[in-house]
Amino acid sequence: MPESEMYRQPTRSEIIELAVAEGHDADIPGNAGSIHQVPSHTSTPRSKHQNHDPKKPSAEAMDKDIEKGSTAESILSEEAVVDSNEDDPNVVSWDGPDDPENPMNWSYTKKWGTVCLISAITFLTPLASSMFAPGVPEVMSTFDSTNDMLEQFMVSVYVLGFAFGPMIIAPLSEMYGRLPLYHSCNALFVIFSIAAAVASSMGQFVVFRFFMGCFGGAPMVLGGGTIADLINREQRGTAMVVWMMGPTIGPCVGPIIGGFLTVAKGWRWNFWFVAIVAGALMLMSIILMKETSAPVILERKANRLRAETNNPKLRSKLASDLSPADLFKFSIIRPAKMLTRSPICLAMSVYIAITYAYLYVLFTTFTAVFKTQYHWKGGIVGLSFLGIGIGSLIGQFGFTYFGNKTVKKHIARNDFRPEHRLYTMCVGGFCLPVGLFWYGWSTQEMTHWIVPILGTGFIGFGLLMTFMPATTYLVDVFTVHAASAMAASTVLRSLCAALIPLSSSKMYKAMGYGWGNSLLGFVSLALIPIPFLFIRYGEKIRARNSVKL
């Protein structure tokens, strides 16, 4: 990293961008500090309301109106943020631009090796969410169950864990660093994968699947921050694309592997496979991974220097003014407030949640649909997930290309608004119902199997083209508190993805595949106006509504 880049004070926009990548709000200190940039008088975390500095904008001022962007942007401009710690001899920072302790100065091999490792872990845990879906009938037979609701829930309960685990993991990582959370969550993920493999009852199996989801969500919470710790802005986009492959195509590739593995070895081997691979990755991470969080590294350095010099006044440049209670409060209360008090956050989160739930409606029913309508058997059933996987992959690349092209055009014109992110969402909004109608009626009429597979490809494309722009829109609108807005969206979508599929089998039995999927299509049609409305009225809505956090 160039010396000038490392030692100039970061701008407000850079702090926000880095904070979002690290998975926290920009008023919580990260690798670039926080938007407050207030000198700490101790390295021990404390309540944000203690020792208030007159130069620091008050919490009330900073949180007055997070959607208008008026307060934060007027208090802290896009110019470099002034750091009053700079000339303080008691402030501990990096030892020059080439400090080997700074993760940005690690060797190319070490940095990209870490990125590849966390990308592999992040690929495995979403893959495990749906890998055993083709083996669901065998699981039901093993536990002598005929409960349709349980049949769907055993797949989607994993995603329920995604709603609860990250709410605890995120604040803990701010306090103790990323590495302890990686190791502990990886170990617990392996343990509960083994427990699911040897479960002796349906109740045990569902509980173990839930805890797999809780701890399996750790790399998705921590991975973006690890990449931001290691990779400079110019190369970070490439690393993030590699890392995002896991959550995008992992759930679609899993059933393809699981279909053949179930036939060859039985459904329990899906979990043994996950446990073996996760165990190998855990051992590699223990041996190869190091702590990458700059605040944690500098805090350890400050502790070491205090002991060596007997100077209790030494403090880390990135020391947090937040107590553990504050971190947990912000992690839980802020997202809840956003979801209930912001019309933008609520509308976008509902849209994301419903479309994401459709993904798990399909995951929990594909096996039954293609077995009954097309008489597919054995491992071939897993190939029914191929269409939605390819569609999702095309959607991700489509959003990246066209989304970036649109944003660059408006930035060049100097008229960029967050609502410009939503143009690609309008396209995805139409593709989703088209795919649902296509898939539903082609399955109902038992046309050639390629026809419904192509329909699911449209669904996968539509899902990514709605999910990705809606998420980036939330980041642009909420800026300083973008991570909390994304957390609110994540919790709602995980709850919907876990609970809505429970009624899918009954819906198909009552309405058939044609009208059942048409019902989902009509709901998605009703959602189409949302991005159009925000493109036209979003700026006015942001001007009229405020959320005090």
Side-chain angles (χ1 to χ4, degrees):
M1 192 174 185
E3 181 174 349
S4 60
E5 181 74 12
M6 184 177 295
Y7 276 86
R8 69 174 178 81
Q9 293 304 321
T11 65
R12 174 182 175 275
S13 62
E14 288 171 349
I15 291 175
I16 292 171
E17 177 189 343
L18 190 60
V20 171
E22 292 170 354
H24 58 76
D25 289 337
D27 58 352
I28 296 173
N31 288 359
S34 79
I35 56 167
H36 292 158
Q37 293 293 327
V38 183
S40 293
H41 300 289
T42 175
S43 290
T44 304
R46 61 181 183 273
S47 170
K48 66 179 284 189
H49 302 295
Q50 293 175 349
N51 297 324
H52 179 72
D53 191 291
K55 297 179 182 178
K56 173 181 175 179
S58 67
E60 292 77 10
M62 290 305 303
D63 297 334
K64 181 181 178 182
D65 191 345
I66 59 176
E67 288 173 74
K68 294 177 189 175
S70 55
T71 56
E73 288 169 12
S74 61
I75 294 170
L76 295 168
S77 71
E78 290 297 328
E79 298 300 319
V81 178
V82 177
D83 186 356
S84 53
N85 283 332
E86 183 142 7
D87 299 322
D88 190 336
N90 288 317
V91 170
V92 176
S93 186
W94 304 116
D95 294 335
D98 301 317
D99 189 343
E101 287 192 60
N102 188 340
M104 284 287 185
N105 292 325
W106 289 359
S107 68
Y108 179 91
T109 303
K110 187 176 181 180
K111 287 201 286 189
W112 284 97
T114 301
V115 170
C116 290
L117 185 54
I118 64 165
S119 296
I121 298 171
T122 310
F123 180 82
L124 178 66
T125 51
L127 178 143
S129 70
S130 59
M131 183 175 175
F132 90 109
V136 166
E138 285 77 7
V139 179
M140 298 294 287
S141 176
T142 299
F143 296 129
D144 296 321
S145 176
T146 56
N147 189 317
D148 289 340
M149 188 172 290
L150 270 178
E151 187 174 358
Q152 318 307 320
F153 190 57
M154 70 170 73
V155 176
S156 61
V157 69
Y158 189 96
V159 190
L160 192 63
F162 285 175
F164 294 98
M167 302 299 286
I168 305 298
I169 293 169
L172 286 177
S173 70
E174 301 297 331
M175 289 184 277
Y176 303 110
R178 308 194 203 287
L179 200 61
L181 270 297
Y182 273 122
H183 292 341
S184 58
C185 289
N186 286 345
L188 289 166
F189 180 74
V190 172
I191 290 170
F192 284 108
S193 296
I194 294 172
V198 299
S200 58
S201 69
M202 181 66 79
Q204 288 182 7
F205 180 74
V206 169
V207 170
F208 296 149
R209 281 275 294 170
F210 170 76
F211 283 111
M212 281 180 68
C214 284
F215 299 111
M220 289 188 284
V221 177
L222 305 173
T226 302
I227 290 172
D229 295 340
L230 296 168
I231 310 298
N232 59 33
R233 297 181 77 190
E234 290 74 19
Q235 298 176 307
R236 196 177 300 154
T238 302
M240 291 295 282
V241 168
V242 172
W243 176 67
M244 280 298 294
M245 289 289 185
T248 302
I249 65 174
C252 305
V253 172
I256 299 173
I257 300 171
F260 291 101
L261 188 58
T262 298
V263 172
K265 291 288 187 179
W267 68 266
R268 294 184 187 274
W269 262 94
N270 286 292
F271 296 94
W272 285 115
F273 173 85
V274 169
I276 291 168
V277 176
L281 292 173
M282 180 186 70
L283 290 176
M284 290 176 64
S285 67
I286 291 172
I287 296 169
L288 301 175
M289 284 181 67
K290 305 296 182 185
E291 182 59 67
T292 63
S293 174
V296 173
I297 295 172
L298 287 179
E299 185 64 29
R300 291 174 182 171
K301 182 177 180 180
N303 288 337
R304 185 175 69 248
L305 290 174
R306 279 196 295 269
E308 292 174 357
T309 63
N310 292 320
N311 181 2
K313 295 182 180 180
L314 290 174
R315 63 187 181 278
S316 164
K317 180 179 180 180
L318 301 176
S320 176
D321 288 328
L322 300 175
S323 68
D326 283 332
L327 286 171
F328 274 102
K329 181 180 70 174
F330 294 155
S331 177
I332 296 170
I333 296 178
R334 272 186 178 175
K337 283 186 176 181
M338 286 188 174
L339 198 59
T340 55
R341 300 182 185 181
S342 166
I344 289 178
C345 187
L346 178 61
M348 284 296 155
S349 297
V350 167
Y351 202 138
I352 292 170
I354 291 175
T355 55
Y356 194 69
Y358 286 175
L359 182 65
Y360 279 86
V361 167
L362 299 179
F363 281 165
T364 56
T365 57
F366 269 163
T367 300
V369 168
F370 282 88
K371 276 187 174 181
T372 57
Q373 297 298 96
Y374 293 95
H375 309 292
W376 287 11
K377 297 179 181 178
I380 301 298
V381 176
L383 297 177
S384 60
F385 293 78
L386 197 57
I388 200 166
I390 294 174
S392 298
L393 195 59
I394 295 172
Q396 181 175 350
F397 286 113
F399 163 74
T400 302
Y401 176 77
F402 291 106
N404 289 344
K405 187 176 180 180
T406 302
V407 170
K408 287 178 181 177
K409 180 180 72 175
H410 285 283
I411 289 176
R413 293 178 182 175
N414 202 29
D415 67 348
F416 175 74
R417 296 181 293 116
E419 286 72 27
H420 291 136
R421 296 281 191 187
L422 301 178
Y423 290 143
T424 52
M425 189 176 179
C426 296
V427 176
F430 282 102
C431 290
L432 189 58
V434 167
L436 288 165
F437 292 135
W438 183 339
Y439 163 69
W441 287 106
S442 61
T443 302
Q444 179 76 29
E445 299 301 321
M446 290 188 287
T447 59
H448 189 275
W449 58 265
I450 194 63
V451 180
I453 294 293
L454 289 173
T456 61
F458 260 78
I459 295 171
F461 179 80
L463 283 169
L464 264 291
M465 289 290 280
T466 54
F467 175 80
M468 297 297 287
T471 302
T472 54
Y473 178 60
L474 289 176
V475 172
D476 282 343
V477 168
F478 293 99
T479 57
V480 172
H481 300 112
S484 289
M486 293 172 68
S489 174
T490 299
V491 169
L492 186 62
R493 81 168 190 250
S494 298
L495 289 172
C496 288
L499 301 177
I500 289 178
L502 299 183
S503 59
S504 53
S505 290
K506 291 183 178 178
M507 176 185 71
Y508 286 142
K509 286 180 181 178
M511 305 178 68
Y513 296 120
W515 283 112
N517 285 290
S518 293
L519 175 61
L520 304 181
F522 289 133
V523 174
S524 61
L525 275 175
L527 297 173
I528 285 177
I530 290 178
F532 289 95
L533 289 172
F534 280 127
I535 288 172
R536 178 153 190 151
Y537 302 109
E539 199 166 13
K540 293 181 181 178
I541 293 172
R542 287 188 283 118
R544 291 178 182 175
N545 290 277
S546 64
V547 181
K548 294 182 180 180
L549 298 178

